[in-house]
Amino acid sequence: MMLRTHQTLLDQMKISDAEIQSRLELAALSLSHFELLKDVLPLINAQVDSIVERFYISQLAIDEIAVLIGDADTLNRLKGAQHQYILDLFSGQYDSTYVNNRLRIGMVHKRIGVEPKLYLSAICSLKLILFEVLDQSMTDAEVLRQTKEALDKLLYFDTTLVFDTYISSMISELELAKKKTEMYANSLEVKVSERTAQLEELAKKDPLTGINNQRAMRELASVLLASLTRRKASFALIYFDIDNFKQINDQHGHLKGDEVLKVISECIRQHIRESDVPCRYGGDEFCIMLPDADAQSAQAVAERIIASFAEMHPDFSLSVGIVDTGPGQHMSLDDMIGIADKKMYQAKALKGSQIII
């Protein structure tokens, strides 16, 4: 696709020679009008500098226009462009070059912020000045009337072109704004989706230890058990808590208790496989689900966790219950937790860190 910057305004707005002819006919402009305008070019050319000066005196009296013009250099450039425009009006040539120049003038006016009402006011002022010059210079009343009529129609023709560029520019701005809005909406949708996923993930994590909470454990257990049943594989569960955890909080404070819980979760992470699922089940209770594992292999994992924890907190102990199921029939998660919980309490009856299978 060709870039807009590589196209003329005629191409961008799809105005062909046939379209130009149609527009001239709609404005009731004919070759006779062109000849009338061309005939007075010499007298206009002789007074064009005066016409331009009179025009800008009237325009600069309007505060809004004076602000838009802004400085002497801009004013001089505008005077040069207006000088050429006035001569073009009486050239008798109103082809694609003429039309493209009119479109460009409209585009420039739109870009610098000239409102339609200001443009119409300027065209009206120019027409009155030109009419006055014609009134003072032409003696044949009928030719004068016809010439003024031709000029009036041509200025109308030019105005329609200029307003087409205003409309085209506004449509382009709306399309760009729509595109930006759609891009923003899409990016916002992605951000919301990402944030929703993050929040859902956070909802499944224990905020203190960073491992799965009980809700996440149960969701994952249903998937694991279904897969293990289909594959006829074993499944083990480690269930443990910290002995006398209430005393730790009471004697050393809750910050110390939180530290102990964080240490345990880190010990768990260090000694489990990627496929294993750790979980903080309750206050000081933890579970580890081990797919494709039996009670003996789960015991080896528990022993490593206990040894690692003892290096950090030798004064504290863990009580562990382990249960496995499969590979034929599989118990439910609740049944496994119930059995492991009983074994964990059996371990608590013994001194120090203990594991009951």
Side-chain angles (χ1 to χ4, degrees):
M1 181 181 293
M2 182 179 293
L3 295 175
R4 287 177 64 86
T5 50
H6 294 166
Q7 297 177 313
T8 66
L9 285 170
L10 284 170
D11 293 331
Q12 290 180 22
M13 298 178 66
K14 297 180 174 58
I15 298 179
S16 62
D17 289 342
E19 172 67 12
I20 293 171
Q21 184 58 42
S22 175
R23 286 170 177 250
L24 289 170
E25 291 173 1
L26 287 172
L29 282 164
S30 63
L31 288 175
S32 62
H33 293 108
F34 302 163
E35 292 299 325
L36 285 167
L37 292 170
K38 187 177 181 180
D39 287 344
V40 295
L41 177 59
L43 71 88
I44 294 296
N45 190 33
Q47 301 185 55
V48 65
D49 291 334
S50 172
I51 293 169
V52 170
E53 288 301 320
R54 288 177 61 186
F55 174 77
Y56 276 103
I57 288 172
S58 68
Q59 293 304 291
L60 290 172
I62 302 172
D63 291 340
E64 292 172 278
I65 295 179
V67 169
L68 288 172
I69 293 174
D71 58 73
D73 289 338
T74 301
L75 178 60
N76 288 331
R77 287 197 299 272
L78 289 171
K79 284 182 177 180
Q82 189 71 344
H83 182 283
Q84 186 59 52
Y85 174 51
I86 292 169
L87 296 180
D88 286 348
L89 283 171
F90 297 91
S91 67
Q93 297 292 323
Y94 311 108
D95 53 12
S96 59
T97 300
Y98 178 90
V99 170
N100 196 66
N101 287 336
R102 301 291 75 75
L103 295 172
R104 185 165 51 81
I105 287 175
M107 188 64 70
V108 170
H109 278 71
K110 175 65 173 66
R111 286 172 181 166
I112 65 176
V114 177
E115 295 179 37
K117 65 179 182 180
L118 297 178
Y119 178 80
L120 290 173
S121 172
I123 283 293
C124 183
S125 295
L126 178 61
K127 182 172 75 170
L128 292 175
I129 293 170
L130 291 173
F131 276 14
E132 185 176 334
V133 169
L134 294 175
D135 287 338
Q136 294 172 352
S137 305
M138 298 179 69
T139 56
D140 189 316
E142 180 57 23
V143 175
L144 171 62
R145 183 191 67 78
Q146 293 177 9
T147 303
K148 289 169 69 174
E149 178 184 323
L151 179 58
D152 190 48
K153 290 179 178 181
L154 183 59
L155 289 173
Y156 166 78
F157 173 76
D158 288 0
T159 300
T160 63
L161 294 171
V162 168
F163 271 74
D164 276 355
T165 62
Y166 271 78
I167 294 168
S168 176
S169 179
M170 285 188 290
I171 290 173
S172 296
E173 289 172 4
L174 287 172
E175 289 176 348
L176 180 59
K178 179 183 177 182
K179 183 177 179 180
K180 287 182 176 180
T181 301
E182 289 174 349
M183 290 174 63
Y184 174 74
N186 290 336
S187 67
L188 190 62
E189 186 176 336
V190 170
K191 288 179 181 178
V192 169
S193 179
E194 290 174 350
R195 185 56 179 159
T196 300
Q198 291 171 355
L199 291 173
E200 288 177 351
E201 186 64 22
L202 286 173
K204 297 177 181 180
K205 297 294 184 183
D206 174 58
L208 178 64
T209 62
I211 62 176
N212 297 300
N213 58 25
Q214 186 179 153
R215 170 192 166 189
M217 173 188 170
R218 292 188 175 278
E219 290 179 1
L220 292 168
S222 63
V223 176
L224 280 175
L225 283 168
S227 174
L228 294 167
T229 300
R230 191 166 53 250
R231 295 190 290 110
K232 298 187 181 302
S234 298
F235 182 49
L237 178 74
I238 301 173
Y239 187 95
F240 67 92
D241 75 358
I242 307 165
D243 296 330
N244 303 312
F245 185 69
K246 184 175 184 302
Q247 291 181 17
I248 296 174
N249 282 329
D250 292 343
Q251 293 176 10
H252 303 284
H254 287 280
L255 290 178
K256 183 66 174 180
D258 288 349
E259 178 197 332
V260 172
L261 294 172
K262 291 178 183 177
V263 168
I264 289 177
S265 66
E266 187 57 35
C267 291
I268 292 172
R269 287 192 185 94
Q270 291 175 3
H271 298 291
I272 62 174
R273 302 167 301 173
E274 187 175 348
S275 60
D276 297 334
V277 181
C279 164
R280 184 181 178 190
Y281 191 76
D284 65 326
E285 296 174 332
F286 291 82
C287 285
I288 307 171
M289 297 189 296
L290 299 93
D292 300 293
D294 57 17
Q296 283 70 36
S297 55
Q299 181 180 0
V301 173
E303 288 172 349
R304 291 195 294 270
I305 293 171
I306 289 172
S308 179
F309 178 66
E311 290 179 7
M312 300 291 293
H313 294 289
D315 297 332
F316 307 142
S317 60
L318 305 176
S319 293
V320 183
I322 295 175
V323 64
D324 63 6
T325 186
Q329 297 295 316
H330 288 83
M331 289 185 283
S332 69
L333 178 65
D334 286 335
D335 288 343
M336 293 180 74
I337 290 174
I339 294 171
D341 182 55
K342 289 178 182 178
K343 292 182 177 183
M344 182 264 291
Y345 275 101
Q346 291 174 19
K348 265 187 190 302
L350 306 173
K351 186 176 180 180
S353 294
Q354 299 291 335
I355 302 173
I356 299 295
I357 297 179

